[in-house]
Amino acid sequence: MALDVGVIGVGMIGQEHIRRLDGGPGGSRVVAVADADAERASAVAGRLPGAKALSGGEELIASDAVDAVVVTSWGPTHEGYVLAAIAAGKPVFCEKPLATTQEATRRIVDAEAAAGRRLVQVGFNRRYDPAHRALKHGVDSGVIGAPLLVHCAHRNASVPPHYTRDMSIADTAIHEIDELRWLFDQEITAVQVFTPRKSGRGGDLQDPLLVLFEMADGVLVDVEVSVNVHYGYEIRCEVSGETGTVQLADPAPVHIRREGAVAALVPADWRERFALSYDIELREWVDTVAAARPAEGPSAWDGHVAQVVSDAALRSLHDGGRVAIELPARPGLYAPTETP
Ligand code: NAP
């Protein structure tokens, strides 16, 4: 069955997702787009055979032509659109972060729980990345014994001018927050953010950051967040266990040997590094929604917990020190399933 999708926010990732959703293998079409920049919305709609540019996200959600909604606008706008989609009873895929405060993500959880069915999926795409799935298999299989320590790095070549210090946590490290909960099937219980010597290339930004997470079973995780490394985009993760380690391999597809040196090409950005994860993520979402099954991927609850942890990390960044994390009870709607 064809799934007719409306996309709100047609900037970088919005256009990436549209490329996958319009005429994609799961039988989806993009029938409507909306953006704060009306000219951009018209230009994007003009390149799609069956799409209209609508005047706003609210009109798109209310449109009878739209079966399901994708929210890829700027983070602070997510809450309103996700709540409107829930109220309209339409499945909604929302890019991370689900919203920008834990009060906002809680309102989404409460609205969905009141609706009584899972309509929301959050764009935590690492759960769909084949390399991260292999990493999780390495942990779950027990081949390295009990995990003890984890070393991660999240490095961006550069960030846009509107990027703020808090976004290093709320927009960037939020991927690691979800990854760790998913990788170990347990919660983060405390966080502390350290501010090392500042890079001269980051302008006013406090860059890099070192974030230390404590998992419920005592595993300690250090995450380097660097957003001005210039050489490319790199995601690292190594889990050190009692009897061995498992780590993400070098993502370069080839190594070049010449003139006495070995070179491995580094992905330019997230679009290149995680292309396959977005393919799988959206294909699975379309299949689930088209089959009228409840959303199966990262839930509004996952978005909420990530936000609670992100807010705690921001408190540590602003005020210093270790911040303990207490989570509220998980509503029954979000009981764990066998999904990715
Ligand atoms: P972007 O290029 O700035 O695109 C956002 C678009 O939304 C822009 O066209 C913007 O218009 C528009 N917009 C802003 N406010 C709006 C509103 N109220 N209603 C409708 N459209 C609105 O940003 P992006 O990099 O694509 O990021 C978008 C979201 O995706 C963010 O939440 C980001 O964290 C997330 N993201 C996720 C991943 C991932 O790996 N999962 C990767 C990248 C981004 P103006 O330019 O006129 O403001």
Side-chain angles (χ1 to χ4, degrees):
M1 188 196 101
L3 182 75
D4 289 347
V5 178
V7 179
I8 303 173
V10 291
M12 277 194 295
I13 203 161
Q15 294 188 38
E16 277 289 301
H17 286 353
I18 285 171
R19 197 164 54 72
R20 293 176 168 90
L21 288 167
D22 194 55
S28 53
R29 296 180 303 192
V30 175
V31 295
V33 300
D35 196 285
D37 181 336
E39 271 180 36
R40 187 177 299 148
S42 295
V44 170
R47 295 197 290 269
L48 301 170
K52 281 189 181 155
L54 301 181
S55 64
E58 294 79 6
E59 188 194 343
L60 182 147
I61 292 164
S63 166
D64 288 339
V66 170
D67 299 327
V69 178
V70 169
V71 178
T72 42
S73 50
W74 192 41
T77 67
H78 292 178
E79 179 194 2
Y81 293 138
V82 173
L83 287 175
I86 294 171
K90 294 190 179 179
V92 53
F93 176 95
C94 179
E95 259 313 328
K96 46 61 59 173
L98 176 59
T100 46
T101 66
Q102 59 185 286
E103 292 75 20
T105 53
R106 182 75 222 194
R107 285 191 284 274
I108 291 172
V109 162
D110 290 344
E112 194 180 38
R117 61 190 175 118
R118 291 248 342 249
L119 289 165
V120 179
Q121 179 165 326
V122 184
F124 286 130
N125 59 297
R126 290 196 188 169
R127 298 184 184 209
Y128 298 88
D129 174 48
H132 279 83
R133 286 182 167 182
L135 182 76
K136 180 165 173 56
H137 179 69
V139 171
D140 290 346
S141 66
V143 290
I144 62 161
L148 305 171
L149 290 165
V150 187
H151 312 290
C152 302
H154 189 147
R155 300 187 183 134
N156 282 291
S158 63
V159 285
H162 67 262
Y163 191 93
T164 61
R165 177 184 68 154
D166 286 4
M167 288 171 79
S168 297
I169 301 289
D171 228 61
T172 300
I174 199 144
H175 274 300
E176 274 73 21
I177 292 172
D178 182 69
E179 175 185 336
L180 293 169
R181 295 184 61 244
W182 165 77
L183 191 58
F184 296 113
D185 290 316
Q186 58 178 286
E187 299 297 354
I188 297 169
T189 53
V191 60
Q192 183 160 5
V193 180
F194 297 86
T195 51
R197 180 180 179 187
K198 217 164 101 134
S199 162
R201 296 173 126 172
D204 290 338
L205 275 184
Q206 174 56 56
D207 178 50
L209 298 177
L210 186 75
V211 189
L212 200 61
F213 292 107
E214 296 174 32
M215 307 302 296
D217 66 355
V219 169
L220 273 185
V221 185
D222 59 83
V223 181
E224 169 197 328
V225 182
S226 293
V227 297
N228 281 288
V229 297
H230 285 236
Y231 69 79
Y233 178 82
E234 188 170 28
I235 300 300
R236 305 176 70 89
C237 184
E238 178 186 31
V239 182
S240 179
E242 284 172 318
T243 57
T245 71
V246 54
Q247 73 183 99
L248 295 175
D250 185 341
V254 290
H255 288 184
I256 299 165
R257 285 174 166 73
R258 63 188 288 271
E259 295 180 355
V262 182
L265 301 183
V266 179
D269 62 21
W270 46 270
R271 283 175 284 215
E272 190 179 336
R273 168 64 182 84
F274 283 114
L276 202 46
S277 75
Y278 303 125
D279 291 346
I280 299 169
E281 174 186 54
L282 292 174
R283 175 67 198 265
E284 290 189 10
W285 179 71
V286 167
D287 286 351
T288 304
V289 173
R293 294 194 304 269
E296 292 171 350
S299 66
W301 178 251
D302 294 315
H304 176 56
V305 174
Q307 199 58 43
V308 171
V309 177
S310 168
D311 285 359
L314 287 175
R315 216 154 47 245
S316 174
L317 174 62
H318 297 164
D319 303 337
R322 172 184 179 275
V323 178
I325 296 160
E326 290 232 3
L327 294 177
R330 182 198 296 249
L333 183 64
Y334 306 105
T337 63
E338 293 302 308
T339 47

